[in-house]
Amino acid sequence: MAINKQEHAQWSSSFGFVLAAVGSAVGLGNIWKFPYMVGESGGSAFVIAYLFCIALVGFPILVAEWLIGRRGQKNPVNTFSDVAANEGKSRSWGIIGATGVLGGFLILSFYSVIGGWALNYITKVATGSFAGQDSDSVAATFDAMLASAGTLTIWHTVFMILTAVIVGIGVTSGIEKTAKILMPLLGVILFVIVGYNVMNGGFGEAVAYLFTPDLSKLTADVMLAALGHAFFTLSIGMGIMVAYGSYLGREVNLLKTARTVVILDTVIALAAGLAIFPIIFSNGLDPASGPGLIFVSLPIAFGSMGAGTIIGALFFLLITFAAITSSISLLEPTVELLEERTSMSRTVSTIVASTVIWLLGIAALLSFNLWSEFTIMGNGIFDALDKLTSKFLLPLTGLAAIVFVGWKMDQRNIQQELGLSNGTWQLWQIVAKFIAPIAVIVVFVTSLMG
């Protein structure tokens, strides 16, 4: 049973909400994963597929989760349950809210570990640790970090403390204010690095790589990779956007706001490509080097280029800012749930949730060293958490959200709430009822078969 201790929090402004939502969407997926997926999946072919998919899948599910959250004005579990009851449907839909919260909870446990890597690399690059090193030396440095349980624990702990402090302060004073500070700084750092690249070679090659259409590389595998990334990059299926939507007032136009968030998220992802690929190309490195692109390939370049110490430190500061704005959104649904359904204050709820997530993160980081022999269905703890969330919890929760909005809620009320004319409404119906759900099912089934 929910314990109503105080009025539900609200964002102080639409601008603050947009920055918080963009901050959640802009994370390691944009700065770390997007560039190496572009590299592995055909350059511009992946970008074209990604833009197409984010419009037809990511956008409608984002709107659906905000709409449900705003209707419920509670934590994701109670929100789904209450909205379903108001629509004359079973309260069992609350299970979808629970899977979303669980997904964000599990993701943060290993996401914090990667955030710790970025924090660690700020100090390494800034102190010139990679100066003059070759690829073998840089790779050995990364491997040594993974092999040290103590090092990983320290930085994972620091990252979780930063996340917990921000969330514990509150929605407006903590999450919103942090987004208002970090997101502009993130944009400035990206602008500085891109500007540096314009002046120092490799930029034209990067632009061609990202934006010159090469439809010969637009394969089914590239489409599926783009569809999966478009789904996950907007923080949908994790309870985050339902929780964030619960702090929204009725005056906010969901479609216009979602459009703004999608555009900004995509622009930052593309800007990250323009920050990374010129450095890769000008230093003769492989753009398809996978997850090691950020933590192995780029440090090689930073160690040999002019102003590499400064640019490298700024780059990993950028990674850290992106990770923090996402990690606070991953923690928020669990804190909101504990705060509303128990007698605990927000501060205590944050401490409890963060501590449990921190402990699970310890187990995840130990899979790189002391517990490397321990596996779950052939995967270490870190990889098992990643696959459980990315292949099961997130797509199923996102699918349920769009199906709920498209098929279970009163469609006339939704049309009025979204402010859609008849023509535009028909397009929304096609996308929300058929295209988005079918696309998610395709990705889900394909990922299970892969």
Side-chain angles (χ1 to χ4, degrees):
M1 179 180 293
I3 299 175
N4 297 319
K5 293 171 284 191
Q6 57 186 16
E7 186 178 349
H8 197 69
Q10 296 282 294
W11 302 106
S12 66
S13 66
S14 296
F15 176 70
F17 166 67
V18 167
L19 286 183
V22 172
S24 176
V26 175
L28 293 174
N30 294 71
I31 312 298
W32 177 45
K33 191 173 184 180
F34 180 79
Y36 84 69
M37 290 189 73
V38 170
E40 289 183 328
S41 303
S44 62
F46 179 84
V47 174
I48 293 170
Y50 170 78
L51 294 176
F52 181 77
C53 293
I54 203 168
L56 293 180
V57 181
F59 179 83
I61 295 179
L62 178 63
V63 173
E65 293 197 356
W66 281 350
L67 189 148
I68 294 169
R70 186 166 69 176
R71 288 278 187 93
Q73 292 286 301
K74 294 177 182 175
N75 64 80
V77 178
N78 285 53
T79 283
F80 267 96
S81 178
D82 289 355
V83 172
N86 291 337
E87 295 285 341
K89 304 298 185 294
S90 170
R91 282 189 172 273
S92 297
W93 281 94
I95 295 173
I96 304 304
T99 61
V101 174
L102 177 62
F105 178 93
L106 295 177
I107 289 170
L108 182 53
S109 67
F110 64 86
Y111 194 95
S112 177
V113 175
I114 304 173
W117 298 355
L119 279 172
N120 187 15
Y121 267 57
I122 294 174
T123 60
K124 285 185 180 298
V125 175
T127 55
S129 297
F130 299 111
Q133 290 196 15
D134 58 19
S135 58
D136 290 338
S137 298
V138 174
T141 299
F142 182 66
D143 290 340
M145 180 188 70
L146 295 185
S148 174
T151 299
L152 294 182
T153 299
I154 289 171
W155 291 109
H156 162 58
T157 302
V158 172
F159 188 87
M160 275 305 306
I161 289 173
L162 288 173
T163 301
V165 168
I166 294 168
V167 173
I169 292 172
V171 175
T172 54
S173 299
I175 297 174
E176 186 174 345
K177 183 174 288 187
T178 299
K180 286 180 177 179
I181 295 171
L182 292 189
M183 289 311 299
L185 284 176
L186 187 150
V188 169
I189 294 173
L190 259 181
F191 177 79
V192 169
I193 297 175
V194 172
Y196 173 88
N197 289 336
V198 171
M199 304 298 293
N200 288 276
F203 190 76
E205 191 176 355
V207 170
Y209 185 71
L210 285 169
F211 300 113
T212 301
D214 185 358
L215 298 182
S216 66
K217 295 182 179 179
L218 195 58
T219 64
D221 287 341
V222 170
M223 282 297 298
L224 288 171
L227 187 56
H229 190 63
F231 180 79
F232 302 126
T233 189
L234 290 176
S235 299
I236 49 185
M238 310 178 199
I240 293 171
M241 292 308 177
V242 176
Y244 275 22
S246 74
Y247 304 128
L248 273 178
R250 300 285 296 185
E251 74 282 356
V252 175
N253 186 305
L254 297 183
L255 289 174
K256 288 182 179 179
T257 305
R259 182 179 62 198
T260 300
V261 169
V262 166
I263 290 173
L264 288 175
D265 176 65
T266 304
V267 166
I268 291 174
L270 294 174
L274 294 176
I276 292 170
F277 287 119
I279 298 173
I280 292 294
F281 290 134
S282 63
N283 286 273
L285 300 172
D286 182 9
S289 55
L293 183 69
I294 300 300
F295 293 101
V296 177
S297 297
L298 282 178
I300 298 171
F302 294 141
S304 61
M305 61 194 281
T309 298
I310 297 173
I311 297 299
L314 282 176
F315 180 80
F316 283 104
L317 189 63
L318 167 71
I319 292 279
T320 301
F321 284 173
I324 288 176
T325 56
S326 291
S327 67
I328 58 180
S329 68
L330 287 165
L331 180 57
E332 175 59 28
T334 302
V335 170
E336 184 186 31
L337 178 66
L338 291 177
E339 185 184 14
E340 293 184 355
R341 292 180 67 103
T342 72
S343 59
M344 293 187 291
S345 66
R346 182 174 186 85
T347 300
V348 176
S349 297
T350 303
I351 292 172
V352 170
S354 300
T355 301
V356 177
I357 291 171
W358 175 79
L359 288 171
L360 186 57
I362 296 293
L365 67 85
L366 288 177
S367 66
F368 293 109
N369 38 74
L370 299 180
W371 291 358
S372 59
E373 300 299 320
F374 178 78
T375 61
I376 301 173
M377 298 181 69
N379 297 287
I381 297 174
F382 186 99
D383 290 336
L385 288 169
D386 184 14
K387 290 184 177 181
L388 172 62
T389 53
S390 64
K391 288 196 171 186
F392 292 94
L393 292 180
L394 269 61
L396 291 179
T397 303
L399 174 63
I402 194 66
V403 167
F404 184 70
V405 170
W407 293 94
K408 298 299 181 180
M409 295 178 67
D410 187 299
Q411 298 300 294
R412 289 170 298 180
N413 290 338
I414 292 176
Q415 181 179 5
Q416 292 176 357
E417 187 168 343
L418 296 181
L420 294 173
S421 62
N422 287 334
T424 311
W425 172 247
Q426 294 301 320
L427 177 61
W428 165 265
Q429 289 272 282
I430 293 171
V431 172
K433 285 190 171 185
F434 301 103
I435 295 178
I438 291 172
V440 175
I441 291 172
V442 169
V443 172
F444 176 66
V445 174
T446 305
S447 67
L448 292 182
M449 295 170 61

